[in-house]
Amino acid sequence: GPKVLQIPSHQIIDMGQMVTLNCDPVSNHLYFYWYKQILGQQMEFLVNFYNGKVMEKSKLFKDQFSVERPDGSYFTLKIQPTALEDSAVYFCASSLARTANSDYTFGSGTRLLVI
Amino acid sequence: QQKVQQSPESLSVPEGGMASFNCTSSDRNFQYFWWYRQHSGEGPKALMSIFSDGDKKEGRFTAHLNKASLHVSLHIRDSQPSDSALYFCAASEPNNYAQGLTFGLGTRVSVFP
């Protein structure tokens, strides 16, 4: 079936540095999402994005986080500066519609370790 | 307190057996429920959704929803080794997109030969 690709699969970064996580969503999907999963905890919603704009974000989406999709390329999550508590697996997802009963397609995640 | 709770945490089932596990919500605003399956090293994949009371069957998988008690279950008939995975329950509110999907912690299913 259609896939969401995430690059890189793993990233280790020094605290305080900037990191960009990349996502290539399903080609005809219009809505894009980031979720965060800390080891041993549930996956939590960060943000959703449509038509070049953030539509909704959770309280986990700190000021240090930003998202964009320049010119229809990768959908990116940038963290600047990174903090130790940003260590987690970040999942990108996309959906065709933004109704509450839409199916999401998730990527395999980027495992981020901030040291 | 987590809004979506799953039980048991883990489950072992013989090949060919029935795997059953549960999900309950403490938030009456949740009306839509999904089951996602995640194999090691991969992202979660949607298995099935259920929005109405009663049973929904797709192949070897049957989901059951009781909206009054906000209880959802998933049953896997004739379990196969490939069914070994982490199963997540997820829920959403009909008119509140702000929180996206709310996930449980998952039930880890192991199917042994």
Side-chain angles (χ1 to χ4, degrees):
Chain A
K3 290 183 185 292
V4 170
L5 300 178
Q6 289 190 241
I7 301 167
S9 58
H10 296 77
Q11 178 88 52
I12 300 174
I13 195 156
D14 291 325
M15 182 177 65
Q17 297 298 304
M18 181 191 77
V19 68
T20 301
L21 310 183
N22 299 293
C23 171
D24 187 12
V26 176
S27 60
N28 64 335
H29 283 185
L30 302 175
Y31 297 91
F32 314 120
Y33 312 83
W34 285 102
Y35 281 76
K36 176 182 179 182
Q37 185 178 35
I38 294 173
L39 187 65
Q41 299 183 21
Q42 74 267 41
M43 208 154 33
E44 293 188 275
F45 169 78
L46 282 177
V47 65
N48 68 38
F49 188 87
Y50 167 74
N51 197 26
K53 291 184 290 192
V54 170
M55 300 303 290
E56 290 93 24
K57 57 186 179 181
S58 73
K59 61 182 185 301
L60 295 180
F61 194 78
K62 305 183 297 185
D63 291 343
Q64 296 89 332
F65 288 18
S66 62
V67 290
E68 63 176 355
R69 193 185 188 204
D71 299 324
S73 60
Y74 285 140
F75 173 50
T76 62
L77 173 65
K78 185 183 295 185
I79 309 174
Q80 181 178 25
T82 50
L84 295 177
E85 61 265 25
D86 296 330
S87 295
V89 182
Y90 290 83
F91 289 100
C92 175
S94 67
S95 67
L96 189 55
R98 199 199 62 171
T99 53
N101 55 356
S102 298
D103 278 351
Y104 291 29
T105 301
F106 282 86
S108 298
T110 293
R111 284 141 190 83
L112 176 66
L113 178 61
V114 181
I115 58 175
Chain B
Q1 183 192 1
Q2 289 176 26
K3 288 188 173 183
V4 175
Q5 297 179 304
Q6 293 187 242
S7 63
E9 286 185 16
S10 62
L11 176 65
S12 287
V13 183
E15 187 173 352
M18 174 79 84
S20 297
F21 38 97
N22 305 295
C23 170
T24 56
S25 171
S26 58
D27 190 336
R28 289 228 150 259
N29 292 315
F30 288 146
Q31 294 289 306
Y32 301 138
F33 295 89
W34 284 262
W35 286 103
Y36 278 81
R37 179 165 74 178
Q38 184 179 28
H39 286 110
S40 181
E42 298 179 8
K45 288 185 174 59
L47 261 182
M48 55 194 303
S49 58
I50 185 164
F51 308 141
S52 304
D53 274 322
D55 290 339
K56 182 177 181 182
K57 186 177 177 183
E58 292 185 5
R60 296 184 293 110
F61 299 86
T62 301
H64 177 82
L65 171 60
N66 181 329
K67 282 194 172 183
S69 61
L70 290 178
H71 178 262
V72 191
S73 58
L74 185 66
H75 310 273
I76 308 174
R77 175 178 54 84
D78 187 23
S79 297
Q80 301 298 308
S82 58
D83 295 327
S84 295
L86 186 57
Y87 289 79
F88 290 107
C89 174
S92 71
E93 301 178 24
N95 299 311
N96 182 359
Y97 311 119
Q99 62 183 342
L101 287 175
T102 300
F103 284 85
L105 279 172
T107 291
R108 186 166 296 282
V109 174
S110 300
V111 180
F112 58 92

Coordinates of all heavy atoms in Angstrom, one line a residue, chain A residues 37 39-41 111, chain B residues 6-13 19-22 35-42 76 83-89 104-111:
Chain A
Q37 N 6.6 9.8 20.5 CA 6.5 8.6 21.4 C 7.8 8.5 22.3 O 8.8 8.1 21.7 CB 6.2 7.4 20.7 CG 6.0 6.2 21.6 CD 5.7 4.9 20.8 OE1 6.2 4.7 19.7 NE2 4.8 4.1 21.3
L39 N 10.0 6.5 25.0 CA 10.1 5.1 25.3 C 9.2 4.7 26.5 O 9.2 5.3 27.5 CB 11.5 4.8 25.6 CG 11.9 3.3 25.8 CD1 11.7 2.6 24.5 CD2 13.3 3.1 26.3
G40 N 8.3 3.7 26.2 CA 7.5 3.2 27.3 C 6.2 4.0 27.5 O 5.4 3.6 28.3
Q41 N 6.0 5.0 26.7 CA 4.8 5.8 26.8 C 4.0 5.8 25.5 O 4.4 5.2 24.5 CB 5.1 7.3 27.2 CG 5.9 7.4 28.5 CD 6.2 8.9 28.8 OE1 5.5 9.8 28.3 NE2 7.1 9.1 29.7
R111 N 14.1 7.9 15.2 CA 14.5 7.8 16.6 C 15.5 8.8 16.9 O 16.6 8.8 16.4 CB 15.1 6.4 16.8 CG 13.9 5.3 16.9 CD 14.3 4.0 16.3 NE 13.1 3.1 16.2 CZ 12.2 3.2 15.3 NH1 12.3 4.1 14.3 NH2 11.1 2.4 15.3
Chain B
Q6 N -5.4 0.3 27.8 CA -5.5 -1.0 27.1 C -5.1 -2.1 28.1 O -4.3 -1.9 29.0 CB -4.6 -1.1 25.9 CG -5.0 -0.1 24.8 CD -4.1 -0.3 23.6 OE1 -3.5 0.6 23.1 NE2 -4.1 -1.5 23.0
S7 N -5.7 -3.3 27.9 CA -5.4 -4.5 28.7 C -5.6 -5.7 27.9 O -6.4 -5.8 27.0 CB -6.3 -4.5 30.0 OG -7.6 -4.7 29.6
P8 N -4.7 -6.8 28.1 CA -3.6 -6.7 29.0 C -2.4 -6.0 28.4 O -2.5 -5.6 27.2 CB -3.3 -8.2 29.2 CG -3.7 -8.8 27.9 CD -4.9 -8.1 27.5
E9 N -1.3 -5.8 29.1 CA -0.1 -5.3 28.6 C 0.5 -6.2 27.5 O 1.0 -5.7 26.5 CB 0.9 -5.0 29.7 CG 0.5 -3.8 30.5 CD 1.7 -3.5 31.5 OE1 2.8 -4.0 31.3 OE2 1.4 -2.8 32.5
S10 N 0.4 -7.5 27.8 CA 1.0 -8.4 26.9 C 0.2 -9.7 26.9 O -0.5 -10.0 27.9 CB 2.5 -8.7 27.2 OG 2.6 -9.3 28.5
L11 N 0.4 -10.5 25.9 CA -0.5 -11.7 25.7 C 0.3 -12.7 24.8 O 0.9 -12.3 23.8 CB -1.7 -11.2 25.0 CG -2.8 -12.1 24.5 CD1 -3.5 -12.8 25.7 CD2 -3.9 -11.4 23.7
S12 N 0.3 -14.0 25.3 CA 0.8 -15.0 24.4 C -0.3 -15.9 24.0 O -1.1 -16.4 24.8 CB 1.9 -15.8 25.2 OG 3.0 -15.1 25.4
V13 N -0.2 -16.3 22.7 CA -1.3 -17.1 22.1 C -0.7 -18.2 21.3 O 0.3 -17.9 20.5 CB -2.2 -16.2 21.2 CG1 -3.3 -17.0 20.6 CG2 -2.7 -15.0 21.9
A19 N -6.7 -14.6 19.9 CA -6.2 -13.5 20.7 C -7.2 -12.5 21.0 O -7.9 -12.0 20.0 CB -4.9 -12.9 20.0
S20 N -7.4 -12.1 22.2 CA -8.4 -11.1 22.5 C -7.9 -10.1 23.5 O -7.2 -10.4 24.5 CB -9.7 -11.7 23.2 OG -10.3 -12.6 22.3
F21 N -8.1 -8.8 23.2 CA -7.6 -7.8 24.1 C -8.5 -6.6 24.1 O -9.4 -6.5 23.2 CB -6.2 -7.4 23.9 CG -5.8 -7.4 22.4 CD1 -5.8 -6.2 21.7 CD2 -5.4 -8.5 21.7 CE1 -5.4 -6.1 20.4 CE2 -5.1 -8.5 20.4 CZ -5.1 -7.3 19.7
N22 N -8.4 -5.7 25.0 CA -9.4 -4.7 25.3 C -8.8 -3.2 25.4 O -7.6 -3.0 25.6 CB -10.0 -5.0 26.7 CG -10.6 -6.4 26.7 OD1 -11.5 -6.7 26.0 ND2 -10.0 -7.2 27.6
W35 N -8.0 0.4 15.7 CA -7.0 -0.5 16.1 C -5.8 -0.4 15.1 O -6.0 -0.5 13.9 CB -7.4 -2.0 16.2 CG -8.3 -2.2 17.3 CD1 -9.7 -2.4 17.3 CD2 -7.9 -2.4 18.7 NE1 -10.1 -2.6 18.6 CE2 -9.0 -2.6 19.5 CE3 -6.6 -2.4 19.3 CZ2 -9.0 -2.9 20.9 CZ3 -6.6 -2.6 20.7 CH2 -7.7 -2.8 21.4
Y36 N -4.6 -0.1 15.7 CA -3.4 0.0 14.9 C -2.5 -1.2 15.3 O -2.5 -1.6 16.5 CB -2.7 1.3 15.1 CG -3.2 2.4 14.3 CD1 -4.4 3.1 14.7 CD2 -2.6 2.8 13.1 CE1 -4.9 4.2 14.0 CE2 -3.1 3.9 12.4 CZ -4.2 4.6 12.8 OH -4.7 5.6 12.1
R37 N -1.7 -1.7 14.3 CA -0.7 -2.7 14.6 C 0.6 -2.2 14.2 O 0.8 -1.6 13.2 CB -1.1 -4.0 13.8 CG -0.1 -5.1 14.0 CD -0.7 -6.4 13.5 NE -0.7 -6.5 12.1 CZ -1.1 -7.6 11.5 NH1 -1.5 -8.7 12.1 NH2 -1.0 -7.7 10.2
Q38 N 1.6 -2.5 15.1 CA 3.0 -2.0 14.9 C 3.9 -3.2 15.0 O 4.1 -3.7 16.1 CB 3.3 -0.9 15.8 CG 4.7 -0.3 15.6 CD 5.0 0.8 16.6 OE1 4.5 0.9 17.7 NE2 5.8 1.8 16.2
H39 N 4.6 -3.6 13.9 CA 5.7 -4.5 14.0 C 7.0 -3.8 14.4 O 7.1 -2.6 14.1 CB 5.8 -5.3 12.7 CG 4.7 -6.3 12.4 ND1 3.8 -6.1 11.5 CD2 4.4 -7.5 13.0 CE1 2.9 -7.1 11.5 NE2 3.3 -8.0 12.4
S40 N 7.9 -4.6 14.9 CA 9.1 -4.0 15.4 C 9.8 -3.2 14.3 O 10.0 -3.8 13.2 CB 10.0 -5.1 16.0 OG 11.2 -4.6 16.5
G41 N 10.3 -2.0 14.6 CA 11.0 -1.2 13.6 C 10.2 -0.5 12.6 O 10.7 0.1 11.7
E42 N 8.8 -0.7 12.7 CA 8.0 -0.1 11.7 C 7.0 0.9 12.4 O 6.9 0.9 13.6 CB 7.1 -1.1 11.0 CG 8.0 -2.1 10.2 CD 7.1 -3.2 9.5 OE1 5.9 -3.1 9.6 OE2 7.7 -4.2 9.0
I76 N -8.6 -11.8 17.4 CA -7.9 -12.3 16.2 C -8.1 -13.8 16.2 O -7.6 -14.5 17.1 CB -6.4 -12.0 16.2 CG1 -6.2 -10.5 16.5 CG2 -5.7 -12.4 14.9 CD1 -4.7 -10.1 16.7
D83 N 1.1 -12.2 13.2 CA 0.3 -11.4 14.1 C 1.0 -10.9 15.3 O 0.5 -10.0 16.0 CB -1.0 -12.1 14.5 CG -1.9 -12.5 13.3 OD1 -2.0 -11.7 12.3 OD2 -2.6 -13.5 13.4
S84 N 2.2 -11.4 15.6 CA 3.0 -11.0 16.7 C 3.4 -9.5 16.5 O 4.1 -9.2 15.5 CB 4.2 -11.9 16.9 OG 3.9 -13.2 17.2
A85 N 2.9 -8.7 17.4 CA 3.1 -7.2 17.2 C 2.6 -6.5 18.4 O 2.0 -7.1 19.3 CB 2.4 -6.7 15.9
L86 N 2.7 -5.2 18.3 CA 2.1 -4.3 19.4 C 0.9 -3.7 18.8 O 0.9 -3.2 17.7 CB 3.1 -3.2 19.7 CG 2.8 -2.2 20.8 CD1 2.6 -3.0 22.1 CD2 4.0 -1.2 21.0
Y87 N -0.2 -3.9 19.5 CA -1.5 -3.4 19.0 C -2.0 -2.2 19.8 O -2.1 -2.2 21.0 CB -2.6 -4.5 19.1 CG -2.3 -5.6 18.2 CD1 -1.4 -6.6 18.4 CD2 -3.1 -5.7 17.0 CE1 -1.1 -7.6 17.5 CE2 -2.9 -6.7 16.1 CZ -1.9 -7.7 16.3 OH -1.6 -8.7 15.4
F88 N -2.2 -1.1 19.1 CA -2.7 0.1 19.7 C -4.1 0.4 19.5 O -4.6 0.2 18.4 CB -1.9 1.3 19.2 CG -0.5 1.4 19.6 CD1 0.5 1.1 18.6 CD2 -0.1 1.8 20.8 CE1 1.9 1.2 18.9 CE2 1.3 1.8 21.2 CZ 2.2 1.5 20.2
C89 N -4.8 0.8 20.5 CA -6.1 1.4 20.4 C -6.0 2.9 20.3 O -5.2 3.5 21.0 CB -7.0 1.0 21.6 SG -8.6 1.7 21.7
G104 N -3.6 4.5 23.2 CA -3.3 3.8 24.4 C -1.8 3.4 24.4 O -1.1 3.6 23.4
L105 N -1.4 2.7 25.4 CA 0.0 2.2 25.6 C 0.3 1.0 24.8 O 1.4 0.6 24.5 CB 0.3 2.0 27.0 CG 0.7 3.2 27.8 CD1 0.9 2.8 29.3 CD2 2.0 3.8 27.3
G106 N -0.8 0.3 24.4 CA -0.6 -0.9 23.5 C -0.7 -2.2 24.3 O -0.5 -2.3 25.5
T107 N -1.0 -3.3 23.5 CA -1.0 -4.7 24.0 C 0.0 -5.4 23.1 O -0.1 -5.4 21.9 CB -2.4 -5.3 23.9 OG1 -3.2 -4.7 24.9 CG2 -2.2 -6.8 24.2
R108 N 1.0 -6.0 23.7 CA 2.0 -6.8 22.9 C 1.5 -8.2 22.8 O 1.3 -8.9 23.8 CB 3.4 -6.7 23.6 CG 4.4 -7.4 22.7 CD 5.8 -7.0 23.1 NE 6.2 -5.6 23.0 CZ 6.5 -5.0 21.9 NH1 6.5 -5.7 20.7 NH2 6.8 -3.7 21.9
V109 N 1.3 -8.7 21.6 CA 0.8 -10.0 21.3 C 2.0 -10.9 20.7 O 2.7 -10.4 19.8 CB -0.3 -10.0 20.3 CG1 -0.7 -11.4 19.9 CG2 -1.5 -9.2 20.9
S110 N 2.2 -12.0 21.3 CA 3.2 -13.0 20.8 C 2.4 -14.2 20.5 O 1.7 -14.8 21.3 CB 4.2 -13.3 21.9 OG 4.9 -12.1 22.3
V111 N 2.6 -14.7 19.2 CA 2.0 -15.9 18.8 C 3.1 -17.0 18.7 O 4.1 -16.8 18.0 CB 1.3 -15.7 17.4 CG1 0.7 -17.1 16.9 CG2 0.3 -14.7 17.5

